[in-house]
Amino acid sequence: MNPTVHFASDNYAAVHPEVMAAMAQANTGHDVAYGADAATAAFDAAIASTFGEHALGFPVFNGTGANIVSLMALSPRWGGVVASEHAHIHNDENGAPERVGGLKILPLASADGRLAPEQLARYAGDLGDPHRAQPVVLSVTQATELGTVYSLEEMAELTYAAHELGMRVHMDGARLANAAAALGATLSEAARGADLLSLGGTKNGAMLGEAVVILAEDLRDSLGHDLPYLRKSTMQLGSKMRYVSAQLTALLTSTDVTGDPLWHRNASHANAMATRLREALAPLAEAGELRFTQETQANAVFVELPRAAADAVRSAFRFYDWQPGTAPGSVEARWMCAWDTSPADVDGFAAAVTGALERANGAR
Ligand SMILES: Cc1ncc(COP(=O)(O)O)c(C=O)c1O
């Protein structure tokens, strides 16, 4: 068996044909480099219609870059960034916020990837203390690294609490589309409360491309001035920007016959496939053969299962271990669905998991 669909990451997915078509459309003749091109003008308009006339978007290459540019834009040299202990900026960017940005990440414990407003007190007392990195930014991830989603109310309360403490709020929206689709919200509603957004494209059907989006009206002039310099000096300025812009515009504006935009179609499909996988595995969880470790609110399913079973499934499907399991000989795995994961792919994967668990338990 040689499946071409894996459950490791939404980054494994192919590029959506509508994104490819948009890139092909941008691929005519010469146009101005570094962003003064027609496709980037269309992207600017798409950002304004998605997030409001005051919003300003800056295309970048990748999510780590979007996060670093954002955090540097919001922090002085003595700044610290409060984030969940599971945050991508804390665990999965090779220390780039520290190395490139010169910022200290100030982690907070979180069982499910989300933070609660009262947790901010942990660092609030450091404000004004010259011995402590100043907690000037809160970075939240929506949807979280653990596949959970802040409700609109939770996000409003958390970002309000941060602003009350004088912090600015950055949102890592690598999967903002999945969160918005799960919430039945617009992208703008799902990002509400954030001052600066890392808007994801790659996991949502793009080839490569994300954007830093200024959402706070009071930051538009100052950050609008700073960001072009910051983006270049952090190596995130694309010369042939039209190709990145065209992808993001396609996600934001390309609609089907019902008027459903591509970002939403892709994200709601990926979320639905994760729900389908969870439902297919539910009898195994009820029988105690595996354990769901997180809620499935977006496009990820987190499970603990015997390592032997996980390794057997892995011989056909790629996926990552998240961490060792709590039970001896077990592992916690993350199974992710993407815009191009089909129901048949999910059913085949669930059957492989079922078979591997039967064999693992038979061998006990
Ligand atoms: C929550 C989150 N933020 C940001 C990123 C961006 O990563 P990259 O720099 O690989 O595009 C990822 C990718 O896995 C992610 O999961």
Side-chain angles (χ1 to χ4, degrees):
M1 189 180 179
N2 181 27
T4 54
V5 167
H6 297 285
F7 289 79
S9 170
D10 30 16
N11 281 336
Y12 277 47
V15 180
H16 193 280
E18 288 171 48
V19 172
M20 279 295 196
M23 289 178 83
Q25 208 187 341
N27 193 33
T28 44
H30 286 209
D31 205 340
V32 186
Y34 298 112
D37 60 87
T40 303
F43 163 78
D44 292 341
I47 288 292
S49 64
T50 304
F51 294 103
E53 287 300 322
H54 61 280
L56 271 184
F58 296 82
V60 295
F61 293 120
N62 59 29
T64 300
N67 287 341
I68 300 311
V69 171
S70 298
L71 298 179
M72 287 179 74
L74 289 175
S75 311
R77 287 292 293 159
W78 51 90
V81 177
V82 179
S84 137
E85 61 182 334
H86 303 289
H88 198 266
I89 56 169
H90 185 43
N91 294 321
D92 294 306
E93 299 186 353
N94 200 311
E98 289 88 346
R99 290 182 215 286
V100 180
L103 300 162
K104 185 167 173 59
I105 300 293
L106 304 168
L108 287 172
S110 170
D112 67 3
R114 284 177 289 216
L115 295 173
E118 51 279 11
Q119 289 184 272
L120 300 182
R122 161 72 182 80
Y123 291 110
D126 293 348
L127 282 165
D129 180 347
H131 301 283
R132 298 290 171 93
Q134 292 298 285
V136 289
V137 180
L138 168 68
S139 181
V140 293
T141 309
Q142 178 72 314
T144 75
E145 290 78 2
L146 300 185
T148 53
V149 174
Y150 288 90
S151 70
L152 296 179
E153 296 71 29
E154 286 168 341
M155 188 59 82
E157 284 168 16
L158 179 60
T159 56
Y160 177 81
H163 286 140
E164 282 293 288
L165 289 168
M167 297 177 177
R168 287 293 185 174
V169 178
H170 163 251
M171 181 178 285
D172 180 343
R175 297 189 182 88
L176 183 68
N178 300 90
L183 293 166
T186 63
L187 291 172
S188 174
E189 288 164 348
R192 194 162 291 153
D195 297 304
L196 203 51
L197 167 69
S198 297
L199 175 64
T202 314
K203 298 173 197 305
N204 189 220
M207 178 185 288
L208 62 100
E210 324 267 306
V212 175
V213 185
I214 303 173
L215 296 177
E217 277 189 71
D218 64 327
L219 291 178
R220 180 186 160 101
D221 289 346
S222 58
L223 292 193
H225 170 272
D226 297 352
L227 270 165
Y229 304 111
L230 202 46
R231 177 175 56 176
K232 176 67 183 185
S233 62
T234 49
M235 294 163 280
Q236 287 288 323
L237 177 64
S239 55
K240 292 193 176 179
M241 197 186 294
R242 59 174 148 161
Y243 298 100
V244 177
S245 302
Q247 295 175 64
L248 297 169
T249 306
L251 291 174
L252 294 175
T253 64
S254 177
T255 51
D256 67 3
V257 284
T258 68
D260 199 2
L262 185 56
W263 71 263
H264 185 260
R265 281 180 278 143
N266 285 351
S268 46
H269 176 82
N271 291 355
M273 291 303 100
T275 299
R276 184 183 181 98
L277 178 58
R278 182 155 184 141
E279 285 169 359
L281 301 175
L284 295 169
E286 274 154 35
E289 310 253 321
L290 59 74
R291 186 171 70 84
F292 294 119
T293 55
Q294 296 293 341
E295 287 182 69
T296 297
Q297 296 177 328
N299 60 327
V301 181
F302 281 78
V303 291
E304 181 173 312
L305 75 171
R307 182 176 290 282
D311 288 345
V313 178
R314 221 190 311 264
S315 66
F317 295 90
R318 289 188 69 109
F319 61 86
Y320 298 115
D321 290 349
W322 193 251
Q323 60 182 0
T326 50
S330 73
V331 68
E332 184 179 4
R334 181 190 75 164
W335 293 334
M336 296 217 73
C337 298
W339 73 266
D340 61 353
T341 308
S342 73
D345 296 327
V346 170
D347 298 346
F349 183 67
V353 173
T354 306
L357 282 168
E358 274 167 14
R359 286 190 298 280
N361 291 334
R364 265 206 305 240

